[in-house]
Coordinates of all heavy atoms in Angstrom, one line a residue:
V853 N 4.0 6.5 52.0 CA 3.1 5.8 51.2 C 3.8 4.8 50.3 O 3.4 3.6 50.1 CB 2.3 6.8 50.3 CG1 1.5 6.2 49.2 CG2 1.3 7.5 51.3
L854 N 4.9 5.3 49.7 CA 5.6 4.3 48.7 C 6.4 3.2 49.5 O 6.3 2.0 49.0 CB 6.8 5.1 48.0 CG 6.2 6.2 47.0 CD1 7.4 6.9 46.3 CD2 5.2 5.7 46.0
I855 N 6.8 3.5 50.7 CA 7.4 2.4 51.5 C 6.4 1.3 51.7 O 6.6 0.1 51.6 CB 8.0 3.0 52.8 CG1 9.3 3.8 52.4 CG2 8.5 1.9 53.8 CD1 9.8 4.7 53.5
L856 N 5.1 1.8 52.1 CA 4.1 0.8 52.5 C 3.6 0.1 51.2 O 3.4 -1.1 51.3 CB 2.9 1.6 53.1 CG 3.2 2.0 54.6 CD1 2.1 2.9 55.0 CD2 3.3 0.9 55.6
Q857 N 3.4 0.8 50.2 CA 2.7 0.2 49.0 C 3.8 -0.7 48.2 O 3.3 -1.6 47.5 CB 2.1 1.2 48.2 CG 0.8 1.8 48.8 CD -0.2 0.7 49.2 OE1 -0.3 0.5 50.3 NE2 -0.9 0.2 48.2
F858 N 5.0 -0.3 48.2 CA 5.9 -1.0 47.3 C 6.7 -2.1 48.2 O 7.7 -2.5 47.6 CB 6.9 0.0 46.7 CG 6.4 0.9 45.7 CD1 7.1 2.0 45.1 CD2 5.0 0.7 45.2 CE1 6.5 2.8 44.1 CE2 4.4 1.6 44.3 CZ 5.2 2.6 43.7
G859 N 6.3 -2.3 49.3 CA 7.0 -3.4 50.1 C 8.4 -3.1 50.4 O 9.3 -4.0 50.3
L860 N 8.7 -1.9 50.7 CA 10.1 -1.4 51.1 C 10.4 -1.6 52.4 O 11.6 -1.4 52.9 CB 10.3 -0.1 50.6 CG 10.0 0.2 49.1 CD1 10.0 1.7 48.8 CD2 10.8 -0.6 48.2
C861 N 9.6 -2.1 53.3 CA 9.9 -2.3 54.8 C 9.4 -3.8 55.1 O 8.6 -4.4 54.3 CB 9.4 -1.3 55.7 SG 7.5 -1.3 55.7
T862 N 9.7 -4.2 56.3 CA 9.3 -5.5 56.6 C 7.8 -5.4 57.3 O 7.4 -4.3 57.5 CB 10.1 -6.2 57.8 OG1 10.0 -5.3 58.9 CG2 11.6 -6.3 57.3
E863 N 7.1 -6.6 57.3 CA 5.8 -6.5 58.0 C 5.8 -5.9 59.3 O 4.9 -5.1 59.6 CB 5.3 -7.9 58.1 CG 4.7 -8.5 56.8 CD 3.6 -7.7 56.2 OE1 2.5 -7.4 56.9 OE2 3.6 -7.4 55.0
D864 N 6.9 -6.2 60.1 CA 6.9 -5.6 61.4 C 7.1 -4.1 61.5 O 6.7 -3.4 62.4 CB 8.1 -6.2 62.3 CG 8.0 -7.7 62.4 OD1 6.8 -8.1 62.3 OD2 8.9 -8.3 62.8
E865 N 7.7 -3.6 60.5 CA 8.1 -2.2 60.5 C 6.8 -1.3 59.9 O 6.8 -0.1 60.1 CB 9.2 -1.9 59.5 CG 10.6 -2.4 60.2 CD 11.7 -2.6 59.1 OE1 11.3 -2.5 57.9 OE2 12.8 -2.8 59.6
K866 N 5.8 -2.0 59.4 CA 4.7 -1.3 58.8 C 4.0 -0.4 59.7 O 3.7 0.7 59.5 CB 3.7 -2.3 58.1 CG 4.1 -2.7 56.8 CD 3.1 -3.5 56.1 CE 3.3 -3.9 54.7 NZ 2.4 -4.7 54.1
E867 N 3.9 -0.9 60.9 CA 3.1 -0.1 61.9 C 3.8 1.2 62.2 O 3.1 2.2 62.3 CB 3.1 -0.9 63.2 CG 1.9 -0.5 64.0 CD 1.9 -1.4 65.3 OE1 2.0 -2.6 65.2 OE2 1.7 -0.7 66.4
R868 N 5.0 1.2 62.2 CA 5.7 2.5 62.5 C 5.6 3.4 61.3 O 5.5 4.7 61.5 CB 7.3 2.1 62.9 CG 8.1 3.4 63.2 CD 9.2 3.1 64.2 NE 9.8 4.4 64.4 CZ 9.6 5.3 65.3 NH1 8.4 5.0 66.1 NH2 10.2 6.4 65.6
I869 N 5.8 2.9 60.2 CA 5.7 3.7 59.0 C 4.3 4.3 58.8 O 4.1 5.5 58.6 CB 6.1 2.9 57.6 CG1 7.5 2.4 57.8 CG2 5.9 3.8 56.4 CD1 8.5 3.4 57.7
L870 N 3.3 3.5 59.1 CA 1.9 3.9 59.1 C 1.7 5.0 60.2 O 1.1 6.0 59.8 CB 1.0 2.7 59.4 CG -0.4 3.0 59.5 CD1 -0.9 3.4 58.1 CD2 -1.2 1.9 60.1
S871 N 2.3 4.9 61.3 CA 2.0 5.9 62.4 C 2.7 7.2 61.9 O 2.2 8.3 62.2 CB 2.5 5.4 63.8 OG 3.6 5.9 64.2
H872 N 3.9 7.0 61.2 CA 4.5 8.3 60.7 C 3.6 8.9 59.7 O 3.4 10.1 59.7 CB 5.8 7.9 59.9 CG 7.0 7.7 60.8 ND1 7.0 7.7 62.2 CD2 8.3 7.5 60.5 CE1 8.2 7.4 62.6 NE2 9.0 7.3 61.6
L873 N 3.0 8.1 58.9 CA 2.1 8.6 57.8 C 0.9 9.4 58.4 O 0.6 10.6 58.0 CB 1.6 7.6 56.9 CG 0.5 7.9 55.9 CD1 1.0 9.0 54.9 CD2 0.1 6.6 55.1
V874 N 0.4 8.7 59.4 CA -0.8 9.4 60.1 C -0.4 10.7 60.8 O -1.1 11.7 60.7 CB -1.5 8.4 61.1 CG1 -2.6 9.1 61.9 CG2 -2.0 7.2 60.3
K875 N 0.8 10.7 61.4 CA 1.3 11.9 62.1 C 1.5 13.0 60.9 O 1.2 14.2 61.2 CB 2.6 11.7 62.8 CG 2.4 11.0 64.1 CD 3.6 11.1 65.0 CE 3.3 10.4 66.3 NZ 4.1 9.1 66.5
L876 N 2.1 12.6 59.9 CA 2.4 13.6 58.9 C 1.1 14.3 58.2 O 1.1 15.4 57.9 CB 3.2 12.9 57.7 CG 4.7 12.7 58.1 CD1 5.4 11.7 57.0 CD2 5.5 14.0 58.1
I877 N 0.1 13.4 58.2 CA -1.2 13.9 57.8 C -1.7 14.9 58.8 O -2.2 16.0 58.4 CB -2.2 12.7 57.5 CG1 -1.8 11.9 56.3 CG2 -3.6 13.3 57.3 CD1 -2.6 10.6 56.1
D878 N -1.5 14.6 60.0 CA -2.0 15.5 61.1 C -1.3 16.8 61.0 O -1.8 17.9 61.1 CB -1.7 14.9 62.6 CG -2.8 13.8 62.9 OD1 -3.7 13.8 62.1 OD2 -2.5 13.1 63.8
Y879 N 0.1 16.7 60.8 CA 0.8 17.9 60.7 C 0.4 18.8 59.5 O 0.6 20.0 59.4 CB 2.4 17.6 60.5 CG 3.0 17.4 61.9 CD1 3.2 16.2 62.5 CD2 3.5 18.5 62.6 CE1 3.9 16.0 63.7 CE2 4.1 18.4 63.7 CZ 4.3 17.1 64.4 OH 4.9 17.0 65.6
F880 N -0.1 18.2 58.5 CA -0.5 18.9 57.3 C -2.0 19.2 57.5 O -2.7 19.3 56.5 CB -0.2 18.0 56.0 CG 0.1 18.9 54.8 CD1 1.2 19.6 54.7 CD2 -0.9 19.0 53.8 CE1 1.5 20.4 53.6 CE2 -0.8 19.8 52.7 CZ 0.4 20.5 52.6
G881 N -2.4 19.4 58.7 CA -3.7 19.9 58.9 C -4.8 18.9 58.6 O -6.0 19.2 58.2
G882 N -4.4 17.6 58.8 CA -5.4 16.5 58.5 C -5.6 16.3 57.0 O -6.7 15.7 56.6
K883 N -4.7 16.8 56.2 CA -4.9 16.7 54.8 C -3.7 16.0 54.0 O -2.7 15.7 54.6 CB -5.0 18.1 54.2 CG -6.2 18.8 54.8 CD -6.4 20.2 54.2 CE -5.4 21.1 54.8 NZ -5.5 22.5 54.4
M884 N -3.9 15.8 52.8 CA -2.8 15.2 52.0 C -1.8 16.2 51.6 O -2.2 17.4 51.2 CB -3.4 14.6 50.6 CG -4.2 13.4 50.7 SD -4.9 13.1 49.1 CE -6.1 14.3 49.0
S885 N -0.6 15.8 51.5 CA 0.5 16.7 50.9 C 1.0 16.0 49.7 O 2.2 16.3 49.2 CB 1.5 17.1 52.0 OG 2.2 15.9 52.2
T886 N 0.3 15.0 49.1 CA 0.9 14.3 48.0 C 0.5 14.8 46.7 O -0.5 15.5 46.4 CB 0.2 12.8 48.2 OG1 -1.2 13.0 48.3 CG2 0.8 12.1 49.3
G887 N 1.4 14.5 45.7 CA 1.1 15.0 44.3 C 0.9 13.8 43.5 O 0.3 12.8 43.9
F888 N 1.3 13.8 42.2 CA 1.0 12.7 41.2 C 1.5 11.3 41.7 O 1.0 10.3 41.3 CB 1.6 13.0 39.8 CG 0.8 13.8 39.0 CD1 0.0 14.9 39.5 CD2 0.8 13.7 37.6 CE1 -0.8 15.7 38.7 CE2 0.0 14.5 36.8 CZ -0.7 15.5 37.3
V889 N 2.6 11.4 42.5 CA 3.3 10.1 42.8 C 2.6 9.5 44.0 O 2.3 8.2 44.0 CB 4.8 10.3 43.1 CG1 5.4 9.1 43.8 CG2 5.5 10.6 41.7
G890 N 2.3 10.3 45.1 CA 1.8 9.7 46.3 C 0.3 9.5 46.3 O -0.3 8.6 46.9
T891 N -0.3 10.4 45.6 CA -1.8 10.4 45.7 C -2.5 9.1 45.3 O -3.5 8.7 46.0 CB -2.5 11.6 44.9 OG1 -1.9 12.7 45.4 CG2 -3.9 11.7 45.0
P892 N -2.1 8.4 44.2 CA -2.8 7.2 43.7 C -2.7 6.1 44.7 O -3.5 5.1 44.8 CB -2.0 6.7 42.5 CG -1.2 7.9 42.0 CD -1.0 8.7 43.2
Y893 N -1.7 6.3 45.8 CA -1.6 5.1 46.7 C -1.9 5.5 48.2 O -2.0 4.6 49.0 CB -0.1 4.7 46.8 CG 0.5 4.2 45.4 CD1 1.5 5.1 44.7 CD2 0.1 3.1 44.8 CE1 1.9 4.7 43.5 CE2 0.5 2.6 43.6 CZ 1.5 3.4 43.0 OH 2.0 3.0 41.8
I894 N -2.1 6.8 48.5 CA -2.2 7.1 49.9 C -3.5 6.4 50.5 O -3.4 6.0 51.7 CB -2.2 8.6 50.1 CG1 -2.1 9.0 51.6 CG2 -3.4 9.4 49.5 CD1 -1.7 10.4 51.9
M895 N -4.6 6.4 49.9 CA -5.8 5.9 50.4 C -5.7 4.3 50.7 O -6.0 3.9 51.8 CB -6.9 6.1 49.5 CG -7.3 7.5 49.2 SD -7.9 8.3 50.7 CE -9.7 7.9 50.5
H896 N -4.9 3.7 49.7 CA -4.7 2.2 49.9 C -3.7 2.0 51.1 O -3.8 1.0 51.9 CB -4.1 1.6 48.7 CG -5.1 1.5 47.6 ND1 -6.2 0.8 47.6 CD2 -5.3 2.3 46.4 CE1 -6.9 0.9 46.4 NE2 -6.3 1.8 45.7
A897 N -2.7 2.9 51.2 CA -1.7 2.6 52.2 C -2.3 2.7 53.6 O -2.0 2.0 54.6 CB -0.6 3.8 52.1

Side-chain angles (χ1 to χ4, degrees):
V853 163
L854 296 183
I855 291 166
L856 288 169
Q857 289 306 104
F858 292 175
L860 304 174
C861 64
T862 64
E863 280 301 308
D864 295 347
E865 289 159 351
K866 277 189 173 173
E867 206 181 309
R868 182 150 181 85
I869 301 292
L870 177 72
S871 107
H872 281 5
L873 174 59
V874 173
K875 282 197 183 110
L876 287 164
I877 292 172
D878 284 347
Y879 272 99
F880 207 72
K883 293 180 289 185
M884 287 175 287
S885 65
T886 48
F888 275 34
V889 167
T891 304
Y893 302 111
I894 189 168
M895 299 289 276
H896 292 290

